PDB file of all heavy atoms in Angstrom:
ATOM      1  N   ILE A   1      79.246-101.122  86.106  1.00 98.00           N
ATOM      2  CA  ILE A   1      77.878-101.647  86.175  1.00 98.00           C
ATOM      3  C   ILE A   1      77.763-102.914  85.332  1.00 98.00           C
ATOM      4  O   ILE A   1      77.208-103.926  85.773  1.00 98.00           O
ATOM      5  CB  ILE A   1      76.856-100.590  85.688  1.00 98.00           C
ATOM      6  CG1 ILE A   1      76.752 -99.446  86.704  1.00 98.00           C
ATOM      7  CG2 ILE A   1      75.477-101.224  85.467  1.00 98.00           C
ATOM      8  CD1 ILE A   1      75.918 -98.276  86.233  1.00 98.00           C
ATOM      9  N   LYS A   2      78.311-102.869  84.125  1.00 97.00           N
ATOM     10  CA  LYS A   2      78.269-104.041  83.243  1.00 97.00           C
ATOM     11  C   LYS A   2      78.975-105.239  83.865  1.00 97.00           C
ATOM     12  O   LYS A   2      78.479-106.365  83.807  1.00 97.00           O
ATOM     13  CB  LYS A   2      78.912-103.696  81.894  1.00 97.00           C
ATOM     14  CG  LYS A   2      78.106-102.733  81.042  1.00 97.00           C
ATOM     15  CD  LYS A   2      78.837-102.429  79.736  1.00 97.00           C
ATOM     16  CE  LYS A   2      78.039-101.476  78.862  1.00 97.00           C
ATOM     17  NZ  LYS A   2      78.753-101.138  77.606  1.00 97.00           N
ATOM     18  N   ARG A   3      80.142-104.997  84.452  1.00 98.00           N
ATOM     19  CA  ARG A   3      80.906-106.101  85.049  1.00 98.00           C
ATOM     20  C   ARG A   3      80.150-106.724  86.224  1.00 98.00           C
ATOM     21  O   ARG A   3      80.167-107.946  86.409  1.00 98.00           O
ATOM     22  CB  ARG A   3      82.283-105.607  85.499  1.00 98.00           C
ATOM     23  CG  ARG A   3      83.271-105.420  84.356  1.00 98.00           C
ATOM     24  CD  ARG A   3      84.699-105.329  84.879  1.00 98.00           C
ATOM     25  NE  ARG A   3      84.926-104.122  85.645  1.00 98.00           N
ATOM     26  CZ  ARG A   3      85.313-102.969  85.127  1.00 98.00           C
ATOM     27  NH1 ARG A   3      85.512-102.874  83.816  1.00 98.00           N
ATOM     28  NH2 ARG A   3      85.514-101.910  85.891  1.00 98.00           N
ATOM     29  N   ILE A   4      79.498-105.889  87.006  1.00 98.00           N
ATOM     30  CA  ILE A   4      78.742-106.398  88.150  1.00 98.00           C
ATOM     31  C   ILE A   4      77.560-107.234  87.686  1.00 98.00           C
ATOM     32  O   ILE A   4      77.266-108.301  88.247  1.00 98.00           O
ATOM     33  CB  ILE A   4      78.294-105.236  89.062  1.00 98.00           C
ATOM     34  CG1 ILE A   4      79.533-104.576  89.704  1.00 98.00           C
ATOM     35  CG2 ILE A   4      77.330-105.730  90.145  1.00 98.00           C
ATOM     36  CD1 ILE A   4      79.239-103.278  90.421  1.00 98.00           C
ATOM     37  N   PHE A   5      76.891-106.775  86.636  1.00 97.00           N
ATOM     38  CA  PHE A   5      75.801-107.572  86.057  1.00 97.00           C
ATOM     39  C   PHE A   5      76.328-108.922  85.563  1.00 97.00           C
ATOM     40  O   PHE A   5      75.716-109.968  85.781  1.00 97.00           O
ATOM     41  CB  PHE A   5      75.139-106.829  84.900  1.00 97.00           C
ATOM     42  CG  PHE A   5      74.027-105.889  85.311  1.00 97.00           C
ATOM     43  CD1 PHE A   5      73.956-104.600  84.772  1.00 97.00           C
ATOM     44  CD2 PHE A   5      73.053-106.286  86.207  1.00 97.00           C
ATOM     45  CE1 PHE A   5      72.929-103.739  85.136  1.00 97.00           C
ATOM     46  CE2 PHE A   5      72.026-105.423  86.581  1.00 97.00           C
ATOM     47  CZ  PHE A   5      71.968-104.140  86.047  1.00 97.00           C
ATOM     48  N   GLU A   6      77.472-108.885  84.897  1.00 97.00           N
ATOM     49  CA  GLU A   6      78.067-110.121  84.361  1.00 97.00           C
ATOM     50  C   GLU A   6      78.415-111.105  85.476  1.00 97.00           C
ATOM     51  O   GLU A   6      78.349-112.324  85.283  1.00 97.00           O
ATOM     52  CB  GLU A   6      79.308-109.786  83.532  1.00 97.00           C
ATOM     53  CG  GLU A   6      78.989-109.099  82.208  1.00 97.00           C
ATOM     54  CD  GLU A   6      80.222-108.552  81.520  1.00 97.00           C
ATOM     55  OE1 GLU A   6      81.329-108.669  82.094  1.00 97.00           O
ATOM     56  OE2 GLU A   6      80.089-107.994  80.407  1.00 97.00           O
ATOM     57  N   ASP A   7      78.754-110.575  86.645  1.00 98.00           N
ATOM     58  CA  ASP A   7      79.099-111.428  87.784  1.00 98.00           C
ATOM     59  C   ASP A   7      77.860-111.970  88.497  1.00 98.00           C
ATOM     60  O   ASP A   7      77.981-112.769  89.431  1.00 98.00           O
ATOM     61  CB  ASP A   7      79.956-110.652  88.788  1.00 98.00           C
ATOM     62  CG  ASP A   7      81.349-110.341  88.252  1.00 98.00           C
ATOM     63  OD1 ASP A   7      81.789-111.032  87.309  1.00 98.00           O
ATOM     64  OD2 ASP A   7      81.990-109.402  88.769  1.00 98.00           O
ATOM     65  N   GLY A   8      76.697-111.504  88.078  1.00 97.00           N
ATOM     66  CA  GLY A   8      75.458-111.971  88.696  1.00 97.00           C
ATOM     67  C   GLY A   8      75.069-111.243  89.962  1.00 97.00           C
ATOM     68  O   GLY A   8      74.192-111.697  90.704  1.00 97.00           O
ATOM     69  N   ASP A   9      75.711-110.086  90.225  1.00 98.00           N
ATOM     70  CA  ASP A   9      75.396-109.293  91.409  1.00 98.00           C
ATOM     71  C   ASP A   9      74.549-108.075  91.035  1.00 98.00           C
ATOM     72  O   ASP A   9      74.270-107.839  89.854  1.00 98.00           O
ATOM     73  CB  ASP A   9      76.684-108.841  92.103  1.00 98.00           C
ATOM     74  CG  ASP A   9      77.493-110.016  92.635  1.00 98.00           C
ATOM     75  OD1 ASP A   9      76.887-111.035  93.009  1.00 98.00           O
ATOM     76  OD2 ASP A   9      78.744-109.920  92.660  1.00 98.00           O
ATOM     77  N   VAL A  10      74.165-107.321  92.040  1.00 98.00           N
ATOM     78  CA  VAL A  10      73.352-106.119  91.834  1.00 98.00           C
ATOM     79  C   VAL A  10      74.250-104.885  91.900  1.00 98.00           C
ATOM     80  O   VAL A  10      74.909-104.659  92.926  1.00 98.00           O
ATOM     81  CB  VAL A  10      72.254-106.009  92.910  1.00 98.00           C
ATOM     82  CG1 VAL A  10      71.471-104.704  92.747  1.00 98.00           C
ATOM     83  CG2 VAL A  10      71.309-107.203  92.847  1.00 98.00           C
ATOM     84  N   PRO A  11      74.306-104.080  90.843  1.00 98.00           N
ATOM     85  CA  PRO A  11      75.118-102.861  90.889  1.00 98.00           C
ATOM     86  C   PRO A  11      74.362-101.704  91.539  1.00 98.00           C
ATOM     87  O   PRO A  11      73.149-101.577  91.395  1.00 98.00           O
ATOM     88  CB  PRO A  11      75.383-102.568  89.409  1.00 98.00           C
ATOM     89  CG  PRO A  11      74.222-103.164  88.690  1.00 98.00           C
ATOM     90  CD  PRO A  11      73.752-104.328  89.492  1.00 98.00           C
ATOM     91  N   LEU A  12      75.102-100.888  92.270  1.00 98.00           N
ATOM     92  CA  LEU A  12      74.563 -99.668  92.874  1.00 98.00           C
ATOM     93  C   LEU A  12      75.480 -98.520  92.503  1.00 98.00           C
ATOM     94  O   LEU A  12      76.700 -98.642  92.588  1.00 98.00           O
ATOM     95  CB  LEU A  12      74.474 -99.813  94.386  1.00 98.00           C
ATOM     96  CG  LEU A  12      73.952 -98.611  95.188  1.00 98.00           C
ATOM     97  CD1 LEU A  12      73.249 -99.088  96.472  1.00 98.00           C
ATOM     98  CD2 LEU A  12      75.057 -97.610  95.554  1.00 98.00           C
ATOM     99  N   ILE A  13      74.897 -97.412  92.083  1.00 98.00           N
ATOM    100  CA  ILE A  13      75.694 -96.242  91.724  1.00 98.00           C
ATOM    101  C   ILE A  13      75.118 -95.018  92.423  1.00 98.00           C
ATOM    102  O   ILE A  13      73.904 -94.918  92.619  1.00 98.00           O
ATOM    103  CB  ILE A  13      75.741 -96.038  90.186  1.00 98.00           C
ATOM    104  CG1 ILE A  13      76.801 -95.008  89.802  1.00 98.00           C
ATOM    105  CG2 ILE A  13      74.361 -95.677  89.632  1.00 98.00           C
ATOM    106  CD1 ILE A  13      77.150 -95.011  88.316  1.00 98.00           C
ATOM    107  N   ILE A  14      75.993 -94.124  92.850  1.00 98.00           N
ATOM    108  CA  ILE A  14      75.544 -92.888  93.490  1.00 98.00           C
ATOM    109  C   ILE A  14      75.060 -91.946  92.398  1.00 98.00           C
ATOM    110  O   ILE A  14      75.845 -91.473  91.564  1.00 98.00           O
ATOM    111  CB  ILE A  14      76.676 -92.249  94.306  1.00 98.00           C
ATOM    112  CG1 ILE A  14      77.089 -93.183  95.448  1.00 98.00           C
ATOM    113  CG2 ILE A  14      76.247 -90.894  94.857  1.00 98.00           C
ATOM    114  CD1 ILE A  14      78.323 -92.737  96.208  1.00 98.00           C
ATOM    115  N   ASP A  15      73.764 -91.706  92.394  1.00 98.00           N
ATOM    116  CA  ASP A  15      73.156 -90.894  91.336  1.00 98.00           C
ATOM    117  C   ASP A  15      71.786 -90.421  91.818  1.00 98.00           C
ATOM    118  O   ASP A  15      70.752 -90.976  91.475  1.00 98.00           O
ATOM    119  CB  ASP A  15      73.022 -91.713  90.053  1.00 98.00           C
ATOM    120  CG  ASP A  15      72.442 -90.905  88.894  1.00 98.00           C
ATOM    121  OD1 ASP A  15      72.289 -89.676  89.040  1.00 98.00           O
ATOM    122  OD2 ASP A  15      72.125 -91.507  87.861  1.00 98.00           O
ATOM    123  N   GLU A  16      71.789 -89.397  92.622  1.00 95.00           N
ATOM    124  CA  GLU A  16      70.558 -88.908  93.240  1.00 95.00           C
ATOM    125  C   GLU A  16      69.613 -88.277  92.227  1.00 95.00           C
ATOM    126  O   GLU A  16      68.388 -88.289  92.411  1.00 95.00           O
ATOM    127  CB  GLU A  16      70.911 -87.901  94.338  1.00 95.00           C
ATOM    128  CG  GLU A  16      69.755 -87.533  95.241  1.00 95.00           C
ATOM    129  CD  GLU A  16      70.206 -86.726  96.448  1.00 95.00           C
ATOM    130  OE1 GLU A  16      71.419 -86.514  96.624  1.00 95.00           O
ATOM    131  OE2 GLU A  16      69.330 -86.313  97.220  1.00 95.00           O
ATOM    132  N   LYS A  17      70.161 -87.735  91.127  1.00 95.00           N
ATOM    133  CA  LYS A  17      69.343 -87.011  90.153  1.00 95.00           C
ATOM    134  C   LYS A  17      69.001 -87.828  88.909  1.00 95.00           C
ATOM    135  O   LYS A  17      68.500 -87.288  87.923  1.00 95.00           O
ATOM    136  CB  LYS A  17      70.059 -85.716  89.751  1.00 95.00           C
ATOM    137  CG  LYS A  17      70.255 -84.747  90.914  1.00 95.00           C
ATOM    138  CD  LYS A  17      70.937 -83.477  90.456  1.00 95.00           C
ATOM    139  CE  LYS A  17      71.119 -82.497  91.615  1.00 95.00           C
ATOM    140  NZ  LYS A  17      71.813 -81.246  91.173  1.00 95.00           N
ATOM    141  N   CYS A  18      69.303 -89.116  88.936  1.00 96.00           N
ATOM    142  CA  CYS A  18      68.985 -90.016  87.807  1.00 96.00           C
ATOM    143  C   CYS A  18      69.694 -89.614  86.514  1.00 96.00           C
ATOM    144  O   CYS A  18      69.137 -89.759  85.413  1.00 96.00           O
ATOM    145  CB  CYS A  18      67.477 -90.079  87.559  1.00 96.00           C
ATOM    146  SG  CYS A  18      66.556 -90.923  88.840  1.00 96.00           S
ATOM    147  N   GLU A  19      70.912 -89.114  86.620  1.00 96.00           N
ATOM    148  CA  GLU A  19      71.660 -88.715  85.431  1.00 96.00           C
ATOM    149  C   GLU A  19      72.024 -89.918  84.565  1.00 96.00           C
ATOM    150  O   GLU A  19      72.296 -89.767  83.367  1.00 96.00           O
ATOM    151  CB  GLU A  19      72.920 -87.950  85.851  1.00 96.00           C
ATOM    152  CG  GLU A  19      72.607 -86.616  86.531  1.00 96.00           C
ATOM    153  CD  GLU A  19      73.845 -85.915  87.065  1.00 96.00           C
ATOM    154  OE1 GLU A  19      74.918 -86.561  87.075  1.00 96.00           O
ATOM    155  OE2 GLU A  19      73.739 -84.743  87.468  1.00 96.00           O
ATOM    156  N   ILE A  20      72.004 -91.125  85.135  1.00 97.00           N
ATOM    157  CA  ILE A  20      72.320 -92.346  84.399  1.00 97.00           C
ATOM    158  C   ILE A  20      71.326 -92.600  83.273  1.00 97.00           C
ATOM    159  O   ILE A  20      71.610 -93.326  82.317  1.00 97.00           O
ATOM    160  CB  ILE A  20      72.343 -93.560  85.365  1.00 97.00           C
ATOM    161  CG1 ILE A  20      73.101 -94.741  84.746  1.00 97.00           C
ATOM    162  CG2 ILE A  20      70.930 -93.968  85.755  1.00 97.00           C
ATOM    163  CD1 ILE A  20      74.572 -94.600  84.747  1.00 97.00           C
ATOM    164  N   LEU A  21      70.159 -91.945  83.355  1.00 96.00           N
ATOM    165  CA  LEU A  21      69.140 -92.128  82.316  1.00 96.00           C
ATOM    166  C   LEU A  21      69.597 -91.577  80.966  1.00 96.00           C
ATOM    167  O   LEU A  21      69.016 -91.910  79.933  1.00 96.00           O
ATOM    168  CB  LEU A  21      67.824 -91.467  82.729  1.00 96.00           C
ATOM    169  CG  LEU A  21      67.103 -92.096  83.933  1.00 96.00           C
ATOM    170  CD1 LEU A  21      65.847 -91.320  84.263  1.00 96.00           C
ATOM    171  CD2 LEU A  21      66.787 -93.553  83.676  1.00 96.00           C
ATOM    172  N   ASP A  22      70.629 -90.760  80.965  1.00 94.00           N
ATOM    173  CA  ASP A  22      71.196 -90.277  79.697  1.00 94.00           C
ATOM    174  C   ASP A  22      71.964 -91.381  78.983  1.00 94.00           C
ATOM    175  O   ASP A  22      72.196 -91.304  77.775  1.00 94.00           O
ATOM    176  CB  ASP A  22      72.146 -89.091  79.956  1.00 94.00           C
ATOM    177  CG  ASP A  22      71.409 -87.853  80.432  1.00 94.00           C
ATOM    178  OD1 ASP A  22      70.210 -87.719  80.117  1.00 94.00           O
ATOM    179  OD2 ASP A  22      72.028 -87.026  81.133  1.00 94.00           O
ATOM    180  N   GLU A  23      72.376 -92.414  79.733  1.00 95.00           N
ATOM    181  CA  GLU A  23      73.173 -93.500  79.163  1.00 95.00           C
ATOM    182  C   GLU A  23      72.444 -94.845  79.157  1.00 95.00           C
ATOM    183  O   GLU A  23      72.690 -95.684  78.293  1.00 95.00           O
ATOM    184  CB  GLU A  23      74.477 -93.652  79.954  1.00 95.00           C
ATOM    185  CG  GLU A  23      75.338 -92.397  79.971  1.00 95.00           C
ATOM    186  CD  GLU A  23      76.590 -92.578  80.797  1.00 95.00           C
ATOM    187  OE1 GLU A  23      77.531 -93.220  80.301  1.00 95.00           O
ATOM    188  OE2 GLU A  23      76.640 -92.081  81.940  1.00 95.00           O
ATOM    189  N   ILE A  24      71.576 -95.045  80.125  1.00 95.00           N
ATOM    190  CA  ILE A  24      70.829 -96.300  80.222  1.00 95.00           C
ATOM    191  C   ILE A  24      69.343 -96.012  80.098  1.00 95.00           C
ATOM    192  O   ILE A  24      68.820 -95.109  80.758  1.00 95.00           O
ATOM    193  CB  ILE A  24      71.112 -97.010  81.565  1.00 95.00           C
ATOM    194  CG1 ILE A  24      72.570 -97.466  81.625  1.00 95.00           C
ATOM    195  CG2 ILE A  24      70.172 -98.204  81.764  1.00 95.00           C
ATOM    196  CD1 ILE A  24      72.940 -98.112  82.946  1.00 95.00           C
ATOM    197  N   LYS A  25      68.676 -96.766  79.246  1.00 95.00           N
ATOM    198  CA  LYS A  25      67.233 -96.619  79.051  1.00 95.00           C
ATOM    199  C   LYS A  25      66.536 -97.849  79.646  1.00 95.00           C
ATOM    200  O   LYS A  25      66.391 -98.868  78.990  1.00 95.00           O
ATOM    201  CB  LYS A  25      66.894 -96.472  77.564  1.00 95.00           C
ATOM    202  CG  LYS A  25      67.623 -95.335  76.867  1.00 95.00           C
ATOM    203  CD  LYS A  25      67.313 -93.983  77.508  1.00 95.00           C
ATOM    204  CE  LYS A  25      68.073 -92.848  76.818  1.00 95.00           C
ATOM    205  NZ  LYS A  25      67.868 -91.551  77.503  1.00 95.00           N
ATOM    206  N   PRO A  26      66.120 -97.760  80.901  1.00 97.00           N
ATOM    207  CA  PRO A  26      65.504 -98.917  81.547  1.00 97.00           C
ATOM    208  C   PRO A  26      64.099 -99.174  81.014  1.00 97.00           C
ATOM    209  O   PRO A  26      63.450 -98.257  80.484  1.00 97.00           O
ATOM    210  CB  PRO A  26      65.457 -98.492  83.015  1.00 97.00           C
ATOM    211  CG  PRO A  26      65.288 -97.004  82.954  1.00 97.00           C
ATOM    212  CD  PRO A  26      66.127 -96.567  81.770  1.00 97.00           C
ATOM    213  N   ILE A  27      63.635-100.412  81.186  1.00 97.00           N
ATOM    214  CA  ILE A  27      62.241-100.688  80.812  1.00 97.00           C
ATOM    215  C   ILE A  27      61.298-100.228  81.923  1.00 97.00           C
ATOM    216  O   ILE A  27      60.114 -99.994  81.680  1.00 97.00           O
ATOM    217  CB  ILE A  27      62.014-102.182  80.521  1.00 97.00           C
ATOM    218  CG1 ILE A  27      62.314-103.030  81.758  1.00 97.00           C
ATOM    219  CG2 ILE A  27      62.828-102.649  79.342  1.00 97.00           C
ATOM    220  CD1 ILE A  27      61.875-104.452  81.621  1.00 97.00           C
ATOM    221  N   ALA A  28      61.851-100.083  83.122  1.00 98.00           N
ATOM    222  CA  ALA A  28      61.029 -99.637  84.239  1.00 98.00           C
ATOM    223  C   ALA A  28      61.870 -98.885  85.250  1.00 98.00           C
ATOM    224  O   ALA A  28      63.068 -99.166  85.412  1.00 98.00           O
ATOM    225  CB  ALA A  28      60.347-100.828  84.916  1.00 98.00           C
TER     226      ALA A  28
END
C-alpha cells in the first residue's frame, strides 16, 4: 500500500471486514 501511494497510484486491498483499521487510522 505504501509503495503504491509513493508511486502516485490508488491502492486497493481485499478487506471486506475493514480489518485494515487495526493498522491504518484514516481521517475519513
Side-chain angles (χ1 to χ4, degrees):
I1 290 172
K2 290 179 179 178
R3 283 197 292 272
I4 294 170
F5 273 135
E6 289 170 358
D7 291 339
D9 296 329
V10 176
L12 179 151
I13 192 165
I14 297 172
D15 182 8
E16 192 170 356
K17 297 181 179 179
C18 290
E19 294 175 350
I20 199 76
L21 293 178
D22 292 334
E23 301 178 77
I24 294 177
K25 305 301 179 185
I27 61 169

